[in-house]
Amino acid sequence: MKKIETESFSAVSTVYHSETPKDQQLNYLRDHFTCVTVEDYKQEFLSLDWLYIYTLNIDDAIEKNSLYKTVVYSNRAVRNTIFDQNKCVIKLHGDINEMLVYEDSESEVFDKKQYVVSIQKNISLLNRLTHDLSFQNLIYIGISLDDEIDLLSVSENATIGKARYYCTVGEPSFIDSIKLKNYGITHCIVFNDYREIYELIIGAAKEAVAIKSTELDDYKCSSFSRMNASFEDNMPYLFFGKSLVNKDRSIILPSFYIDRNLTRTILSNIENCGVQFVLGNSCSGKTYTAIDVAIHIRDRDVYLFESKDCLNDSAIQHLVNKGNCMIIADNGSLNIQQIEWIVRNEKNIIARNVHFIVISNRSNHDLSSLINLLEINNVIIKNSTIQNIISNRFNSAEVRTLNALLIETTLGVFTEKKTIADNIISASRALMKKNKYSDIVPCFSNEKMLACLLALSIEQKVYSYQLVEYNLYNEMLVQAKVAAPLIEKESTWSFETNVSNNSTLKYVINAEYWLNYQLDSFANNQKNLSVIVSAFRYIISQIILAHGKPDIINGIRQSPYKPYILFDNINRIFSTQGLTVAREVYDGINDLLSADPHYMHQRAKCLIKYAKTEKTPDEKYSILEQAYRYASIAHGVFEKRLEECGNDKIHISIDHVKYTMALILCHICRNNDYSILELNTNAVNALYTALSSPYNSYAYAKTDSFNYGNVVYSLIAAVITKKAEVERSSNRYIQELFRIVLADN
């Protein structure tokens, strides 16, 4: 017995599990660790507004005696949103109720074998703890820090360092002090008794000054200035996409800045609605139009949030309650749930004299699907939501005004026949002179360095919590150093963080086009494709490690890896190599995401585009047949999910895939010159089904880049003119398709 008394807790636990009958273990646990009560001063301590509470105890004391009733236990992937929705207690070493209820209980972490397993399986919570150790101040109360192997491993990874206060009773010995240092403790505070610890912390908390919501005032658009016609100063704004908003929130307008015609339309809508959207393709001038609107507003405060910013729910509510203001927000600063809240609460927003302008890409299917769903459910009136479409070309009047300014700065000459992106590329190639940003090149030395750049390009900002999750903190430090000031570290504001993302800093990209150009240039070398694929695979693997693999039945619409698999995102980044990169990436991550129908759908869309590059009909057919197979699998999985959970929003995904499947059949029919009756019939039937859905339209199909050559219209025209024969049973669909086309023209 004396021998056991000197052993560590994990060693004793090993003996306990080995020698004690299971029933006896459970009875002991039930008798000693359930229905636990705590003293009044501890209840008051638990009433403080902590983000959440970590505990190594397995008992139910915290959830039974406080508002922290949601138990998050170990060895399972955790949905981060639960921390925003509920008050949570994180039980790193097990939960008594889980241990008593389930035969296959896995939360317990007592013996050494369980510690080893936990380090491998408990990634989700250990990532959170690693982040908090690195970027938050932690208080340790009533914990020995003697044999916690998982905490020791996390402490070694958390090298950035904030304050870690160890509150104890009695002076620690020399050996204990060394142990505390190994666990990353920065301050050891000795109290007379444990009650004193709790009471002093309670007192300090009551005196603490909360972060002021007036941080939002720093995002008011109050200072505008225009640059002179210097070539050096203006060049980064035109060719690299340098942000117009400085760190001090002042707005600098390049000398070539002009008003867009769309601005007048947006301004005229303000008095009649609470929210309107500005939609455009990449490089269409959406941000410049937003600034243009802000300049013209004089009767209220204007707040501007870029894609590198983020608004939490409390900040949105604060601005609405404040009243008499305009919020201009890039889609990247809001999530789809927040946009839904804004649309649903438009009447209240108007009553408060508040107006939202949301900037988004036209390819944002989540946004268009949300509007359609709200219309179908009669939450909003059909076509009542104002969607302003900004052209990716300047009109003749805009070109005349712009060219006068561009010539003055010797930046080039634009033409209305080209898109804005093509004009920028042409002007850039025509210039020989370099400027101070020309020699800035990020680091491409390995997959993790490249993963940093992909994260910045896709997400526009990467928070410290993500850096821990992706294990990219050191690599991002390097990128910020070699690419300053185009990649920078910024402190976060209270209004952009929440309980699930309590990051204290973020890294942002200040020149989006520059970064995409660097990545695309890197992809131009075929030898680099493998490291690009590895970088995508690495970051998706890290997300899966923290959040779990995709499940065929229980899908998450907004999976954290979703932006990394969207074809439009990959194609945007790699402007000349997008197809090649996307196809290689999809092949390279298939084993990770084959159970995700969203991935299968994106893969199918990629192949639709890829078929266009093939030369012979047989080669095109082979690619299109693969695309149809992937889309069909995606459709089958979505149908199964709908059957299992009945979520109406799955209908949107199903109908989008039906459109893709119909589109592929249209391409196949044209590839075969409409010579196969069965294929023509299937295509007509599929197209009618797809376009009959409220989530699809011919108006969208006309502008859809995957509908190249407008094969949708070509099929309809072919069957109407009898160039394409179909089975008699499909004749009724032909007239309906013709009616749909006429209605959308």
Side-chain angles (χ1 to χ4, degrees), residues 145-374:
L145 292 182
D146 183 38
D147 191 35
E148 287 75 20
I149 301 170
D150 51 350
L151 267 64
L152 188 61
S153 68
V154 168
S155 300
E156 290 178 352
N157 293 331
T159 56
I160 302 107
K162 284 281 189 174
R164 300 159 196 165
Y165 300 94
Y166 184 79
C167 301
T168 186
V169 174
E171 193 76 27
S173 67
F174 175 73
I175 298 297
D176 289 337
S177 297
I178 294 176
K179 289 180 180 179
L180 294 178
K181 187 176 180 181
N182 288 337
Y183 281 93
I185 298 301
T186 59
H187 301 78
C188 180
I189 307 174
V190 180
F191 293 83
N192 294 318
D193 55 50
Y194 277 99
R195 181 174 187 133
E196 184 183 19
I197 296 175
Y198 290 104
E199 289 179 343
L200 283 175
I201 292 175
I202 292 167
K206 290 180 177 179
E207 294 177 7
V209 178
I211 298 175
K212 297 179 180 178
S213 60
T214 52
E215 282 183 355
L216 285 165
D217 291 340
D218 291 328
Y219 276 69
K220 285 181 187 176
C221 297
S222 56
S223 172
F224 300 91
S225 60
R226 191 163 189 145
M227 303 175 68
N228 58 31
S230 162
F231 173 86
E232 289 288 341
D233 292 340
N234 283 276
M235 187 180 181
Y237 293 91
L238 182 64
F239 298 136
F240 299 148
K242 191 171 186 291
S243 174
L244 303 181
V245 184
N246 291 328
K247 273 189 172 182
D248 62 1
R249 306 306 300 172
S250 63
I251 294 175
I252 301 292
L253 303 176
S255 68
F256 57 81
Y257 162 85
I258 64 169
D259 291 342
R260 296 294 297 272
N261 285 350
L262 184 64
T263 300
R264 289 190 289 274
T265 302
I266 296 171
L267 291 171
S268 67
N269 292 329
I270 290 174
E271 296 303 321
N272 302 317
C273 65
V275 57
Q276 56 182 315
F277 297 90
V278 177
L279 309 175
N281 298 322
S282 295
C283 201
S284 59
K286 298 186 296 294
T287 301
Y288 276 65
T289 301
I291 297 291
D292 197 17
V293 171
I295 291 172
H296 285 82
I297 298 297
R298 293 288 182 269
D299 64 341
R300 67 189 76 190
D301 291 332
V302 179
Y303 297 85
L304 176 66
F305 301 95
E306 299 178 281
S307 56
K308 65 181 182 180
D309 303 315
C310 187
L311 278 167
N312 61 30
D313 296 345
S314 298
I316 295 172
Q317 190 66 63
H318 173 80
L319 290 171
V320 171
N321 291 340
K322 175 181 182 295
N324 196 38
C325 63
M326 173 182 286
I327 299 97
I328 303 175
D330 188 281
N331 185 60
S333 65
L334 301 170
N335 60 46
I336 196 67
Q337 291 80 16
Q338 291 171 330
I339 294 174
E340 180 175 355
W341 183 90
I342 292 167
V343 174
R344 284 178 175 272
N345 290 274
E346 185 173 12
K347 288 184 179 179
N348 179 53
I349 288 169
I350 294 172
R352 304 290 300 174
N353 199 27
V354 174
H355 190 84
F356 282 87
I357 296 177
V358 180
I359 315 293
S360 180
N361 285 325
R362 292 187 70 177
S363 60
N364 187 346
H365 288 301
D366 287 339
L367 177 58
S368 59
S369 298
L370 169 66
I371 300 301
N372 285 337
L373 183 64
L374 294 177

Side-chain angles (χ1 to χ4, degrees), residues 359-589:
I359 315 293
S360 180
N361 285 325
R362 292 187 70 177
S363 60
N364 187 346
H365 288 301
D366 287 339
L367 177 58
S368 59
S369 298
L370 169 66
I371 300 301
N372 285 337
L373 183 64
L374 294 177
E375 289 177 348
I376 290 168
N377 291 334
N378 297 318
V379 175
I380 57 176
I381 300 171
K382 187 173 178 61
N383 298 324
S384 63
T385 302
I386 297 175
Q387 301 179 46
N388 305 282
I389 308 300
I390 184 168
S391 173
N392 63 349
R393 284 178 165 83
F394 291 118
N395 62 34
S396 57
E398 290 170 338
V399 166
R400 283 195 301 272
T401 305
L402 177 63
N403 278 338
L405 299 171
L406 289 175
I407 291 170
E408 185 181 2
T409 55
T410 66
L411 285 170
V413 178
F414 279 25
T415 171
E416 61 192 271
K417 295 180 180 179
K418 294 180 181 178
T419 66
I420 296 174
D422 286 336
N423 272 306
I424 291 173
I425 292 169
S426 296
S428 176
R429 288 173 178 169
L431 294 173
M432 301 289 292
K433 183 175 170 135
K434 292 184 176 182
N435 76 336
K436 62 183 179 180
Y437 297 114
S438 300
D439 294 326
I440 296 179
V441 179
C443 180
F444 291 99
S445 60
N446 57 52
E447 65 179 32
K448 292 181 71 175
M449 288 294 183
L450 190 55
C452 286
L453 302 178
L454 292 175
L456 282 168
S457 180
I458 288 172
E459 304 198 42
Q460 301 295 300
K461 69 271 185 183
V462 183
Y463 288 97
S464 56
Y465 184 76
Q466 292 172 292
L467 290 174
V468 171
E469 193 170 273
Y470 304 163
N471 192 21
L472 290 176
Y473 182 77
N474 292 329
E475 287 75 16
M476 192 65 84
L477 281 176
V478 172
Q479 297 290 18
K481 183 176 181 180
V482 301
L486 304 183
I487 298 174
E488 284 189 311
K489 180 174 73 172
E490 294 183 358
S491 297
T492 57
W493 301 81
S494 61
F495 61 75
E496 64 179 316
T497 59
N498 48 37
V499 182
S500 62
N501 175 18
N502 58 347
S503 299
T504 57
L505 62 86
K506 62 182 177 182
Y507 285 82
V508 301
I509 177 67
N510 291 322
E512 179 184 354
Y513 301 151
W514 164 84
L515 178 55
N516 291 346
Y517 171 77
Q518 293 290 340
L519 288 165
D520 190 49
S521 298
F522 184 72
N524 270 314
N525 186 339
Q526 292 294 308
K527 294 180 180 178
N528 293 331
L529 275 178
S530 60
V531 71
I532 293 173
V533 173
S534 295
F536 272 99
R537 184 177 175 85
Y538 171 80
I539 205 163
I540 291 170
S541 296
Q542 290 297 117
I543 293 172
I544 288 174
L545 195 62
H547 298 273
K549 290 195 70 171
D551 184 272
I552 290 179
I553 302 302
N554 300 306
I556 303 173
R557 182 169 177 80
Q558 297 299 325
S559 172
Y561 60 70
K562 184 179 178 181
Y564 293 90
I565 65 172
L566 292 179
F567 175 79
D568 288 339
N569 279 349
I570 299 174
N571 203 42
R572 171 180 58 81
I573 296 169
F574 302 96
S575 58
T576 67
Q577 302 295 316
L579 265 180
T580 302
V581 171
R583 191 174 185 189
E584 292 289 332
V585 167
Y586 291 142
D587 286 346
I589 61 176

Side-chain angles (χ1 to χ4, degrees), residues 99 446 567 623 726:
M99 293 161 64
N446 57 52
F567 175 79
I623 297 298
V726 297

